Amino acid sequence: MTLRIGPALPSHGAGPISFCATAYINKAHPLFASLAGIWFNEFRLSIETELLAAKLRTQALSMTADTLKSRGSHWQPLFEPADQDRVRAVIQMIDVALREELSRGVSSPDLGSGLSGMALFFGTLAQSSGDESTHSITHECLRQATDLLEVTPLGPGLYAGFTGVAWTAAHLEPDASAEMFSTVDDALLAHVSSHPWRAGFDLISGLVGIGVYFLERLPDSRASAGLDEILSRLDESAEHTDCGITWKTRRELVPEHQRSDGADGYYNLGVAHGVPGVISFLGSCCSHPQLASRSRPLLQDAVNWLNEQRMPAGCHSVFPYWNDTINSPSPARTAWCYGDPGVATALLVASEGADVSEWKQFAVDIAKQALHRPFENTEVVDAPLCHGAAGLGHLYNRFWNVTGEEIFREAAIDWFRVTLDLQTSQNSLAGFPAWKTTPEGLGWVDEPGFLEGAAGIGLALLSAVSDQPPRWDRPLLTCIDPEEQETTP
């Protein structure tokens, strides 16, 4: 079986990223059995490594609810028991719809829109319910994802690349042998060691996304080495200003529809593609003592810079989509990917990781200000995590569980009610079509995935009725481990 991982990012360092691997997969194992021959920047790593052992079958890949309880501390269900029935019914509909989608065949293995995101939903549901069939479906998603890697060229991005597939496996099986992931670890370590860094820094496809994978792999020594390299690349590529440090998205990395004539790039202010994602990542690093001394100075200067990017009072949002040297900034939508709720949550994660109360208050103030925006100006038209109602419900659920402030509980419930009301009886996946760009233009499409589809909606709803602290949202950089929280409702 041949696994081809092809070019997916612009050239940087010595040459273009180029992955080409051959994988021999033992069908008795749920995921990778071995990987061989990875070429990386024209440097070949010849490795024969067992990536997932047969114990994944006997241990059912995901932890039991009892194991989760032993790891966690405080998380309060958002809805009262009497109000949970409708939410659980919708979760069941998503479960059924995703199983049907799986049986028809899903064409992508990735975390953002494909099988790995579906596996994350089923694995989290299995942890909650203990249902053996759901454990089996989790395995099936990962098996199909592995088969697709044979014919699907992927780069190293977290959401559309092989890194997200590996993150999912590491997340669902935290006690797996480090050797199961050694090939991916070594390839990514070689990747992030390249300098000067010319690829993206962002969460979706760049340095920060790879950092999310390495955080999941801690305390493995290769993960520590990878994170150290990522912090070096962020330090080297930071742009120093009078008010702090930032990271510029160069023009060739800016999506064509966002490019301005004459501008040589921009300073992106969304979590998904911009500086707030770096801030949340650095805050997460600060919670690990071995990383704190390097990440904290970068974090302090980045927060200082972010504080100076606020729009004038009276605008619909505190922060714009981005800033450049040509155009006046525009108020951002209300979402995770862009907008104040996402930025506020990034600051909340940073404040908890670095233990800075002033940042926490900054985050709370921004999150509250976003609640005053009229619904018709939020640009919310569908339900997904990325830019929809369920994503906003989950962000405010996070704020409530960290601060205990009732205003955030009410906001979270309101956004989840919007989510439920957006469900349609028309022929769509679980009743939650996604409003996306298609070859014919914007339109409603069925989307099963994590970021913009039913799997992500289901995960947010699961956390709204659960008493177990969610960790599935680590790829969103919104996760705050409960043992690090100072206040609980």
Side-chain angles (χ1 to χ4, degrees):
M1 178 175 182
T2 301
L3 168 65
R4 303 191 184 280
I5 308 177
L9 293 176
S11 298
H12 72 283
I17 300 171
S18 181
F19 294 91
C20 184
T22 300
Y24 303 97
I25 297 191
N26 180 344
K27 294 301 183 179
H29 296 170
L31 194 56
F32 311 110
S34 63
L35 265 172
I38 293 184
W39 283 264
F40 203 104
N41 282 344
E42 301 176 357
F43 173 69
R44 180 172 179 171
L45 302 174
S46 294
I47 304 170
E48 291 289 345
T49 304
E50 187 177 12
L51 293 181
L52 282 184
K55 72 171 189 176
L56 294 183
R57 208 172 267 287
T58 59
Q59 290 186 336
L61 189 65
S62 53
M63 295 180 296
T64 65
D66 288 340
T67 305
L68 281 174
K69 288 177 182 177
S70 70
R71 293 179 58 201
S73 139
H74 300 290
W75 181 265
Q76 300 294 319
L78 184 66
F79 289 93
E80 297 294 337
D83 299 323
Q84 291 184 13
D85 288 349
R86 184 184 177 194
V87 177
R88 294 189 183 279
V90 172
I91 294 170
Q92 185 176 13
M93 292 177 66
I94 292 173
D95 180 17
V96 171
L98 289 178
R99 290 175 189 240
E100 293 174 351
E101 189 77 5
L102 185 66
S103 69
R104 288 191 291 267
V106 178
S107 61
S108 174
D110 62 70
L111 173 63
S113 62
L115 286 158
S116 293
M118 294 169 65
L120 184 58
F121 168 76
F122 287 123
T124 305
L125 182 61
Q127 292 164 7
S128 174
S129 67
D131 178 64
E132 186 60 35
S133 71
T134 309
H135 285 291
S136 299
I137 290 292
T138 306
H139 284 283
E140 180 62 17
C141 286
L142 290 174
R143 185 196 65 77
Q144 291 191 24
T146 301
D147 288 347
L148 281 171
L149 289 178
E150 179 184 9
V151 294
T152 308
L154 293 179
L158 179 65
Y159 276 83
F162 69 89
T163 303
V165 181
W167 179 90
T168 305
H171 179 73
L172 293 175
E173 182 49 53
D175 298 323
S177 165
E179 290 307 306
M180 296 179 185
F181 300 95
S182 62
T183 300
V184 173
D185 292 349
D186 289 341
L188 290 176
L189 179 57
H191 179 36
V192 300
S193 297
S194 176
H195 62 92
W197 185 257
R198 299 295 296 168
F201 66 85
D202 65 315
L203 169 62
I204 295 295
S205 61
L207 272 176
V208 169
I210 297 171
V212 169
Y213 168 75
F214 279 134
L215 284 172
E216 194 72 30
R217 293 280 297 111
L218 285 174
D220 183 85
S221 60
R222 282 166 295 206
S224 296
L227 288 163
D228 193 60
E229 290 292 341
I230 288 171
L231 291 173
S232 293
R233 300 295 85 75
L234 287 173
D235 192 6
E236 294 163 2
S237 60
E239 183 174 308
H240 292 259
T241 73
D242 292 339
C243 59
I245 64 171
T246 186
W247 290 267
K248 187 175 187 176
T249 304
R250 301 190 317 280
R251 180 176 176 83
E252 64 266 27
L253 298 178
V254 176
E256 188 171 350
H257 69 279
Q258 294 179 352
R259 293 179 187 174
S260 300
D261 292 338
D264 60 350
Y266 63 21
Y267 303 95
N268 191 297
L269 286 155
V271 174
H273 298 286
V275 176
V278 182
I279 286 173
S280 187
F281 169 70
L282 292 172
S284 298
C285 289
C286 282
S287 66
H288 299 277
Q290 72 271 31
L291 302 171
S293 63
R294 296 203 59 201
S295 54
R296 191 180 183 95
L298 295 172
L299 177 59
Q300 177 70 66
D301 288 345
V303 173
N304 289 344
W305 179 86
L306 180 67
N307 188 43
E308 297 300 316
Q309 309 311 306
R310 288 181 287 184
M311 299 193 69
C315 293
H316 285 311
S317 68
V318 177
F319 293 99
Y321 282 103
W322 54 76
N323 286 325
D324 63 33
T325 58
I326 302 296
N327 301 288
S328 299
S330 300
R333 68 193 308 163
T334 298
W336 166 80
C337 56
Y338 287 100
D340 295 342
V343 176
T345 309
L347 286 166
L348 185 68
V349 172
S351 72
E352 294 291 305
D355 192 22
V356 180
S357 58
E358 292 84 357
W359 297 350
K360 186 173 184 177
Q361 189 59 54
F362 187 19
V364 167
D365 291 345
I366 296 168
K368 287 181 177 178
Q369 185 162 337
L371 296 177
H372 297 297
R373 188 171 189 172
F375 176 80
E376 58 271 19
N377 291 329
T378 63
E379 301 184 40
V380 174
V381 296
D382 54 359
L385 293 176
C386 180
H387 50 259
L392 291 167
H394 184 66
L395 297 186
Y396 281 111
N397 195 6
R398 274 283 177 201
F399 265 92
W400 175 60
N401 268 281
V402 171
T403 68
E405 294 197 36
E406 187 65 18
I407 189 173
F408 294 133
R409 178 175 182 269
E410 294 172 356
I413 290 174
D414 285 346
W415 278 114
F416 279 124
R417 285 175 175 159
V418 171
T419 301
L420 299 178
D421 290 342
L422 284 169
Q423 189 180 32
T424 176
S425 59
Q426 297 177 0
N427 187 23
S428 58
L429 201 154
F432 290 106
W435 184 246
K436 296 184 64 174
T437 300
T438 71
E440 293 75 34
L442 283 170
W444 295 103
V445 299
D446 282 348
E447 174 60 61
F450 171 72
L451 192 58
E452 295 183 274
I457 297 168
L459 285 163
L461 291 172
L462 270 170
S463 294
V465 295
S466 175
D467 63 357
Q468 298 303 311
R471 294 180 175 88
W472 57 262
D473 59 342
R474 286 172 178 169
L476 299 174
L477 285 172
T478 59
C479 182
I480 300 170
D481 284 334
E483 56 267 23
E484 297 170 3
Q485 296 180 10
E486 298 176 356
T487 306
T488 56

